[in-house]
Amino acid sequence: MPLLLAFLPLIAIIVAVVVLLVVIRVSVKMMWQVAEPNEALIISGLTRGRPATTDGMDFKIVTGKGAFVVPGLQTVRALSLTLNETELQVNCVTSQGIQVVVQGVVIFKIGDSTPFIANAARRFLGQQPKMESQVYNVFEGHLRSIIGSMTVEEIIRERDKLASQVRSASGIEMEKLGLVVDSLQIKDLEDPTGYIQNLAKPHIAQVKMEARIAEATRNREAAEKEAEAASLIADAQSVSAIRQSAAAANAERARANAAQAGPLAEATARQQVVVQETQVAMLEADREEQKLQTTVRKPADARAYAQRTEAEAQKAADISAAEARAKKTEVEAQANATAAAAMAGATKITGEAEAAATRARGEAAASAIKAKALAEADGIKARAEALGSNQEAVISQQLAENMPAIVAAAAEPFGHVGQLTVLNGGDGVNEMVGGILAQVGSYLPALTESLRKGKGDGGRPSQP
């Protein structure tokens, strides 16, 4: 107990301090006023602030911060800085004397600067709802005044210009009220007389006409496009049908080629066989020709050459003998003439000697011609004897020599053919080659007969 009594003063001091702190906190809370972001505090009464307006009104304006307000000595009231709006519906008369009703909206607020807040506080503190009617009256007068100087067409086309002029005209009055206009919009323009409607009728008719023309143009273009599309579809179908027909024809041609592949291959092989056989026949003909040359023609030519050589030798001998006799006769005649001349000395004997010499030279020339004729006759006789004894061999030789020309003449019509198609495969090739050989065979009897008839021409066969 004594200990408790000893701590009583300390406890009293602590309690007093706590109470003092509570009182101070409550007092500060009651006196400290804080302005909201969208309001301004108007503190009147005992204040050390300098005048905020030019007329010397002494009150303090606080925005965005706090201030001490001494109860009983100072009064604090809030002035809202939020936006406000006023609907406008004003009957006006244009410069044309046409009555119109302008509908708009004005969005305004108290200005943020100190002069605007002071002006608004003096006029609207405690009665801010009256601001809308004040603003309406200001804008109504200026709107009527400005529209009175404009035409209906200008109002319709230049609404932004109208709003700008109204804002400029009302700026000074709004500043006196401590207000600023954030936005002025002309929403609608009514025409009780029907002027605007009548004004729009020509344009409406023009637009309707242009719309009908445009619609007709679009319909025509659409029809043309549809016709063009139909034409393209028809062309595409035609091309497709042509391609299908070509494909079908190619398929049929391929099947036909496949079906003829076997016969064509067989015909090609048979053609190669015929070519080889023809070459073999030509080689055999060449061999027979060489054989005839070796066994018949060359011996015959050798015999004929021997007989011709003998005849020419005999002819040369006869000519030499005749020339010798003529020379001898001439010499003898000259000798006789000389002797006679020497003995008789008469002109008659000399003439006879010259006549004898001339006759001797004529006889020698006749003997030479006769010998040459006999030698040629012996050569012709030898060739005739060779043809008579080996007639068939000679004819065969002539046929072999003329065989290439005969075959070329028979095959000559095929030289003008660019492409030859043989039907029936190998049988068709055999028939074609057989026809050529048959034509060659038809030439042989006539050629043989011609060669045989040529025997009477001194052993020289006539050309076929």
Side-chain angles (χ1 to χ4, degrees):
M1 190 68 178
L3 183 60
L4 180 61
L5 293 174
F7 282 103
L8 283 175
L10 181 59
I11 294 172
I13 292 171
I14 294 173
V15 171
V17 171
V18 171
V19 171
L20 180 61
L21 292 174
V22 171
V23 171
I24 293 173
R25 183 177 183 279
V26 172
S27 299
V28 170
K29 185 176 182 181
M30 291 176 61
M31 292 186 296
W32 183 255
Q33 300 290 329
V34 179
E36 297 292 337
N38 60 344
E39 68 179 3
L41 296 179
I42 307 300
I43 301 172
S44 58
L46 181 64
T47 178
R48 293 181 180 179
R50 61 183 180 179
T53 59
T54 57
D55 56 4
M57 182 174 289
D58 190 10
F59 57 88
K60 184 179 180 180
I61 300 173
V62 178
T63 57
K65 57 184 180 179
F68 280 104
V69 176
V70 181
L73 299 177
Q74 293 178 325
T75 302
V76 59
R77 283 176 291 183
L79 185 65
S80 177
L81 302 179
T82 57
L83 289 175
N84 297 277
E85 67 176 36
T86 297
E87 296 288 340
L88 298 177
Q89 186 169 358
V90 183
N91 293 326
C92 304
V93 178
T94 66
S95 61
Q96 302 161 310
I98 300 172
Q99 184 179 359
V100 293
V101 178
V102 179
Q103 295 182 359
V105 59
V106 180
I107 300 175
F108 63 94
K109 65 183 289 297
I110 297 173
D112 294 330
S113 62
T114 300
F116 279 90
I117 295 174
N119 291 338
R122 290 196 311 169
R123 290 168 176 79
F124 302 114
L125 187 62
Q127 49 183 359
Q128 283 188 250
K130 292 184 179 181
M131 288 191 302
E132 294 184 7
S133 61
Q134 294 294 327
V135 171
Y136 183 89
N137 294 332
V138 171
F139 278 91
E140 180 182 20
H142 289 292
L143 194 60
R144 284 177 178 170
S145 174
I146 294 172
I147 288 178
S149 63
M150 299 176 67
T151 63
V152 176
E153 289 80 358
E154 291 175 344
I155 296 171
I156 295 173
R157 291 192 301 267
E158 301 176 358
R159 290 189 180 187
D160 292 339
K161 179 180 178 181
L162 172 63
S164 176
Q165 290 180 355
V166 172
R167 289 179 61 178
S168 298
S170 61
I172 297 175
E173 296 180 2
M174 294 293 287
E175 184 178 355
K176 290 180 179 180
L177 295 175
L179 303 175
V180 293
V181 178
D182 278 359
S183 176
L184 171 61
Q185 297 294 331
I186 304 300
K187 297 193 299 183
D188 194 10
L189 185 65
E190 295 181 0
D191 178 21
T193 62
Y195 178 83
I196 297 176
Q197 185 177 3
N198 293 328
L199 185 66
K201 284 183 179 180
H203 300 286
I204 294 173
Q206 180 69 23
V207 170
K208 287 183 177 180
M209 180 184 69
E210 293 177 355
R212 288 196 300 270
I213 293 173
E215 183 178 3
T217 303
R218 287 194 299 271
N219 292 335
R220 178 179 57 80
E221 292 177 352
E224 291 177 355
K225 294 294 184 181
E226 290 176 355
E228 183 178 356
S231 177
L232 292 176
I233 292 172
D235 291 341
Q237 291 176 350
S238 176
V239 171
S240 176
I242 292 172
R243 290 179 178 176
Q244 291 178 0
S245 300
N250 291 332
E252 291 294 334
R253 189 179 300 109
R255 284 195 291 270
N257 291 335
Q260 292 181 357
L264 286 176
E266 182 180 356
T268 302
R270 180 59 183 167
Q271 182 180 6
Q272 293 177 355
V273 170
V274 171
V275 170
Q276 295 296 328
E277 290 178 350
T278 303
Q279 293 178 354
V280 170
M282 292 176 65
L283 292 175
E284 290 179 352
D286 292 341
R287 185 184 65 181
E288 291 296 331
E289 182 180 0
Q290 293 296 329
K291 184 177 179 181
L292 289 173
Q293 290 281 347
T294 303
T295 60
V296 178
R297 186 173 183 178
K298 287 185 178 180
D301 290 342
R303 288 193 297 270
Y305 178 75
Q307 293 176 1
R308 186 169 57 253
T309 302
E310 291 176 357
E312 290 177 355
Q314 183 64 37
K315 180 184 70 173
D318 293 341
I319 292 171
S320 297
E323 289 177 353
R325 287 192 299 271
K327 185 67 174 178
K328 181 180 179 181
T329 302
E330 182 180 358
V331 171
E332 289 178 353
Q334 289 179 357
N336 293 329
T338 302
M343 291 175 65
T347 304
K348 181 178 181 181
I349 297 173
T350 302
E352 291 177 357
E354 290 179 355
T358 301
R359 185 169 55 252
R361 286 194 295 270
E363 290 177 356
S367 299
I369 294 171
K370 179 179 180 182
K372 183 178 180 180
L374 290 174
E376 291 179 355
D378 292 337
I380 293 172
K381 181 179 180 181
R383 286 193 294 271
E385 289 177 355
L387 181 60
S389 59
N390 298 287
Q391 181 178 4
E392 297 298 329
V394 174
I395 291 174
S396 299
Q397 179 183 356
Q398 295 295 326
L399 290 177
E401 292 176 353
N402 290 275
M403 183 60 69
I406 295 171
V407 175
E412 194 271 337
F414 295 95
H416 303 285
V417 178
Q419 183 177 0
L420 180 63
T421 302
V422 181
L423 303 178
N424 299 329
D427 295 337
V429 176
N430 292 335
E431 291 179 1
M432 180 184 67
V433 176
I436 296 173
L437 295 179
Q439 291 181 9
V440 173
S442 65
Y443 298 150
L444 294 179
L447 181 60
T448 302
E449 184 66 22
S450 176
L451 292 174
R452 286 176 178 174
K453 289 181 178 180
K455 179 180 179 181
D457 297 331
R460 291 188 302 272
S462 60
Q463 296 297 325

